[in-house]
Amino acid sequence: MADNWVDACAADAVDEEDVMGFSHGGQNYAIYRSPEDKFYATDGLCTHEQVELADGLVMGDIIECPMHNGRFNYKTGEAKGAPVCVNLKTYPTKVESGRVLINLG
Amino acid sequence: MPMKRDYSLVGPENAAAVSKGLANAQWYRCAVPRKQMKELMQRSDAAAIRDTILWVLLFILFAAGATYFWGTWICVPFFIGYGVLYGSSSDSRWHECGHGTAFKTRWLNDLVYKVACFMIMRDPEVWRWSHTRHHTDTIIVGRDPEIAVQRPPSLWKVALYFFGWPTAYVALKKLVIHSAGRLLPDEATWVPESEWPKVYRDARIFLAIHIAAVVAAIAFHSWLPVMFVGPLPLMYGAWLGVYFGLTQHIGLAEDVLDHRLCARTVYMNPIFRFLYLNMNYHVEHHMFPMVPYHALPKLHQAIKADTPTPCASTIEAYFGEILPALWRQRNDPGYTIRRPLPSSATPYAATSGPAVAVPAE
């Protein structure tokens, strides 16, 4: 994957075990802060019906879509069963100078 | 004769809804701060375990009484209680567990979901996907498979719902079709092909249990097994669930992108809310479907300044809105109730998306 690190948000803008949305180049992304205080990033829309995951609920390793209970492991992108059948794309992240960066490749 | 719309999901209304931008569209949502919404969405096993234990104990109590007094008139109130649990309260358990919000623990949701599906005679997978579509395209004609009363309404058909008919008949027919390894054409449009084997498997298990109840009734020369399991308790117990369920959307707007226009919140007493798992907060549920039933009263408080004033009771809902609307829609299918908003609310007109339909006046 090519390096294309993009500044997404301030690290302290995302609560632990929570998610926030981020848009870049017309695409939506979701930035997660895990209970272990690590950052992860995925595509921002649920693969089921394109609902914003940033409005969803983070429970441990899981992001739950706010509309239909679709669940993904946000660390791996794995869809965890109906109604989501297609995995979520994930992106590498790093934190520098208090900012979360994601590699869009 | 009033013009009848085509409510089929494979007819011309489907394409019309898509071309108008009504399918899978952006809906109006009341503003709730993220922190508060996170708190409201939190799952808890405690409330659902408490309510499920009480639910099971009530089943045992009513079944024991009905059996003990079988053959006398005293068994009737016990069967009424058992029937309401079986044919009415199972609907809300099916619903809440289908959303995955009743319990925090996933397998508990799935277990109660399957049991409730059996009682209400709904295929777990077909109805999971049907309800998903209902939430995506709520009361969008040609898209929503769960529009309970089509316009112009047939009052006979509505009345028959209270006796579990044609619900039980259609459910049995579908059970046989699914058991034979087939889906209906409209079902195939909303159930992904990868899930079809699960539909067939569940239908075969459910059908086997229904057959076992009939065999037991024959073997023991007793009606009791079929009074407790299968289409009969659904039919004699469906009435209260239908009474609750018809308050959700009847008479309100079709083809709009604002749940405040197409769903109704009705205040209910604590017994009704236990049986119905707080689904009387229906605007709230549709707007934020991942808020568990036990948090809906709090959500109601959080957004009530931006939602229509709820009906004060089911009586007010029926006599003030639902029955007059059904009567009028027989000859005027375009008639739609537009529930007034408090002055603090975002006006309906301001909620219009790029393709929102204007509700009929």
Side-chain angles (χ1 to χ4, degrees):
Chain A
M1 189 180 198
D3 274 358
N4 178 22
W5 290 97
V6 174
D7 186 333
C9 61
D12 59 8
V14 191
D15 288 342
E16 268 188 29
E17 204 170 20
D18 202 6
V19 56
M20 73 175 286
F22 162 67
S23 294
H24 180 79
Q27 296 291 314
N28 292 320
Y29 303 93
I31 314 292
Y32 307 85
R33 187 171 184 175
S34 73
E36 304 84 32
D37 199 19
K38 290 187 175 167
F39 288 87
Y40 298 86
T42 70
D43 276 341
L45 301 179
C46 178
T47 58
H48 170 226
E49 288 196 345
Q50 310 299 304
V51 175
E52 287 266 8
L53 291 170
D55 292 329
L57 181 65
V58 176
M59 293 173 284
D61 296 349
I62 299 295
I63 172 68
E64 182 182 272
C65 171
M67 180 60 87
H68 300 118
N69 190 233
R71 292 179 177 203
F72 302 91
N73 182 322
Y74 61 82
K75 295 178 178 176
T76 63
E78 183 193 2
K80 303 298 283 184
V84 289
C85 305
V86 178
N87 292 345
L88 204 54
K89 190 172 180 189
T90 59
Y91 301 89
T93 65
K94 63 182 178 184
V95 178
E96 283 182 0
S97 307
R99 305 289 301 178
V100 180
L101 286 77
I102 71 174
N103 186 2
L104 301 179
Chain B
M1 191 69 183
M3 181 93 155
K4 184 168 168 44
R5 293 185 73 178
D6 180 359
Y7 285 78
S8 158
L9 270 60
V10 289
E13 290 279 6
N14 184 300
V18 173
S19 70
K20 287 181 204 163
L22 292 170
N24 200 11
Q26 196 73 32
W27 285 67
Y28 175 73
R29 289 210 298 187
C30 301
V32 180
R34 170 73 187 160
K35 193 175 169 60
Q36 188 177 12
M37 182 48 62
K38 257 179 72 182
E39 286 168 10
L40 288 165
M41 286 198 292
Q42 290 304 317
R43 303 296 145 75
S44 156
D45 280 335
I49 287 174
R50 177 202 65 206
D51 288 342
T52 304
I53 288 173
L54 180 58
W55 190 56
V56 171
L57 287 176
L58 286 169
F59 262 112
I60 293 169
L61 175 76
F62 285 120
T67 305
Y68 185 77
F69 292 111
W70 178 242
T72 73
W73 283 104
I74 305 172
C75 75
V76 172
F78 288 98
F79 274 113
I80 290 173
Y82 183 89
V84 162
L85 293 174
Y86 194 102
S88 291
S89 72
S90 57
D91 182 40
S92 51
R93 272 70 188 168
W94 157 79
H95 176 265
E96 187 70 16
C97 293
H99 277 285
T101 44
F103 297 89
K104 185 174 184 178
T105 305
R106 187 85 168 185
W107 70 266
L108 285 171
N109 273 313
D110 292 341
L111 175 66
V112 176
Y113 179 69
K114 295 260 173 156
V115 172
C117 278
F118 174 80
M119 289 192 282
I120 202 84
M121 294 187 72
R122 290 177 184 161
D123 182 280
E125 294 306 319
V126 170
W127 278 85
R128 188 191 301 281
W129 289 92
S130 153
H131 200 64
T132 295
R133 176 66 74 82
H134 174 60
H135 272 273
T136 303
D137 298 326
T138 308
I139 319 297
I140 304 292
V141 177
R143 296 287 300 175
D144 183 350
E146 296 184 9
I147 297 179
V149 178
Q150 302 176 355
R151 303 182 192 183
S154 159
L155 299 189
W156 281 110
K157 202 170 166 186
V158 174
L160 285 174
Y161 281 142
F162 284 87
F163 301 97
W165 192 268
T167 316
Y169 168 72
V170 172
L172 267 180
K173 204 166 82 173
K174 286 185 180 178
L175 201 56
V176 172
I177 291 169
H178 295 159
S179 295
R182 285 193 297 127
L183 282 177
L184 297 173
D186 61 333
E187 292 171 338
T189 67
W190 74 75
V191 182
E193 203 166 343
S194 61
E195 309 302 303
W196 293 3
K198 293 181 192 167
V199 176
Y200 309 147
R201 178 203 63 198
D202 290 341
R204 286 163 190 156
I205 293 169
F206 283 9
L207 189 60
I209 299 171
H210 286 300
I211 291 170
V214 174
V215 169
I218 294 168
F220 295 112
H221 301 286
S222 168
W223 282 95
L224 278 176
V226 289
M227 287 294 283
F228 288 136
V229 176
L232 271 181
L234 171 62
M235 290 169 72
Y236 72 72
W239 59 277
L240 191 57
V242 175
Y243 181 72
F244 294 155
L246 291 183
T247 66
Q248 295 176 354
H249 304 286
I250 303 296
L252 300 172
E254 294 176 335
D255 297 346
V256 291
L257 301 179
D258 186 339
H259 294 111
R260 302 176 304 170
L261 283 164
C262 67
R264 179 187 287 109
T265 287
V266 181
Y267 287 139
M268 290 188 183
N269 66 55
I271 295 172
F272 279 10
R273 288 199 288 117
F274 164 75
L275 294 169
Y276 197 31
L277 290 186
N278 284 339
M279 265 316 109
N280 53 304
Y281 296 106
H282 214 65
V283 174
E284 293 80 356
H285 167 66
H286 266 279
M287 209 176 272
F288 300 103
M290 286 303 110
V291 172
Y293 74 97
H294 52 79
L296 285 176
K298 278 186 195 161
L299 174 60
H300 170 64
Q301 292 301 324
I303 66 172
K304 74 177 183 182
D306 196 27
T307 56
T309 305
C311 292
S313 66
T314 52
I315 301 288
E316 183 185 299
Y318 270 89
F319 288 96
E321 295 189 1
I322 296 166
L323 295 176
L326 286 173
W327 189 257
R328 186 161 164 185
Q329 284 175 347
R330 289 176 312 128
N331 299 310
D332 178 9
Y335 172 69
T336 297
I337 298 164
R338 195 177 169 98
R339 310 201 70 243
L341 286 168
S343 57
S344 52
T346 305
Y348 288 132
T351 69
S352 302
V356 73
V358 177
E361 292 292 346

